[in-house]
């Protein structure tokens, strides 16, 4: 099962993608996580990506496409994967389709988690991320067991630079301009499915598994 998660930043793509990956036993491929891991390790890619991420802008397509095409070609992705945060532009979607068709392959579903903008801004200000493992929480909706501490690895939880209110506004406008056109792109391919992202995490997941079967 090959799935793409769509939705504004903060719509809950990452949380749902992890739950899907666990249930269907496929890798969760998050380009945001890949960039953050590179930033942490101080790689060249990380240095380049950080400059864009801190401003709430997209990393150029050229830095993302090969990385993802390479990742989906790995052995553990043979039976499926959940792409979280990719594609984010029409050229990225076209490059992915082209690479997949060369492998005689295709995406099965693009799942759009639909959440209105004002809702997003409220959510993002409560989001906290682990400095060590990147796990995400929300101070109200998905609180950690111990305040400020990651349940999984015990790392410190922080408000990511790109989740700060001014950056969130920028990310939302980037989303509307560059990523939302993918809704039409996948509608035309007949693989778009939309779920109401304002429901609880469990309800959203139920709606998704009803689609995936
Ligand atoms: P995310 O964790 O998916 O919200 O990604 C965090 C940031 O990483 C985004 O705001 C972008 O700057 C960058 N990023 C992640 N995925 C992509 C992508 N597919 N194309 C361009 N930039 C991306």
């Amino acid at each position: 099962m090959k799935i793409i998660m769509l939705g504004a930043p903060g719509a809950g793509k990452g949380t749902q993608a992890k739950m899907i990956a666990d249930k269907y036993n496929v890798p969760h491929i998050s380009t945001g996580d890949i960039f953050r891991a590179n930033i942490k390790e101080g790689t060249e890619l990380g240095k380049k990506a950080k400059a864009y991420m801190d401003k709430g802008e997209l990393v150029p397509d050229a830095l993302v496409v090969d990385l993802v095409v390479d990742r989906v070609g790995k052995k553990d992705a043979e039976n499926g994967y959940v792409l979280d945060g990719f594609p984010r532009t029409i050229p990225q979607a076209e490059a992915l389709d082209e690479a997949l068709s060369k492998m005689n392959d295709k995406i099965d579903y693009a799942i759009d988690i639909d959440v209105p903008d004002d809702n997003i801004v409220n959510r993002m200000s409560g989001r906290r991320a682990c400095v060590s493992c990147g796990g995400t929480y929300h101070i109200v909706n998905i609180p950690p067991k111990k305040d400020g501490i990651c349940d999984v690895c015990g790392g410190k939880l922080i408000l990511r630079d790109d989740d700060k209110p001014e950056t969130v506004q920028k990310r939302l406008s980037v989303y509307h301009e560059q990523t939302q056109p993918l809704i039409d792109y996948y509608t035309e391919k007949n693989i778009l499915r939309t779920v109401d992202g304002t429901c609880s995490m469990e309800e959203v997941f139920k709606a998704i598994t009803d689609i995936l079967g």
Side-chain angles (χ1 to χ4, degrees), residues 8-10 13-14 30-36 39 49-61 63-65 68 84-89 92 124 127 136 160 162-163 167 171 174 178-179:
K13 292 190 297 292
S30 155
T31 42
D33 284 353
I34 295 172
F35 288 137
R36 282 184 287 277
I39 292 172
K50 189 174 189 316
Y52 297 94
M53 290 168 75
D54 283 352
K55 285 189 278 182
E57 290 171 9
L58 293 186
V59 174
D61 292 341
L63 290 181
V64 192
V65 170
V68 174
D84 164 16
F86 182 95
R88 257 185 161 98
T89 64
Q92 288 182 14
M124 300 283 266
R127 194 147 95 157
T136 49
R160 263 168 32 191
D162 59 346
D163 284 344
T167 318
R171 291 172 73 194
V174 166
Q178 303 194 56
T179 308

Side-chain angles (χ1 to χ4, degrees), residues 117-183:
D117 281 10
D118 46 359
N119 206 317
I120 295 281
V121 177
N122 283 338
R123 286 178 182 211
M124 300 283 266
S125 57
R127 194 147 95 157
R128 297 291 180 272
C130 173
V131 285
S132 302
C133 74
T136 49
Y137 298 83
H138 188 281
I139 48 178
V140 180
N141 305 335
I142 322 170
K145 292 195 183 92
K146 223 171 145 192
D147 240 14
I149 304 288
C150 177
D151 292 352
V152 179
C153 74
K156 191 174 157 222
L157 300 182
I158 54 148
L159 179 66
R160 263 168 32 191
D161 280 344
D162 59 346
D163 284 344
K164 296 197 167 137
E166 55 287 7
T167 318
V168 169
Q169 287 295 353
K170 172 73 183 166
R171 291 172 73 194
L172 270 176
S173 68
V174 166
Y175 168 76
H176 289 301
E177 271 164 41
Q178 303 194 56
T179 308
Q180 214 170 14
L182 293 176
I183 306 274

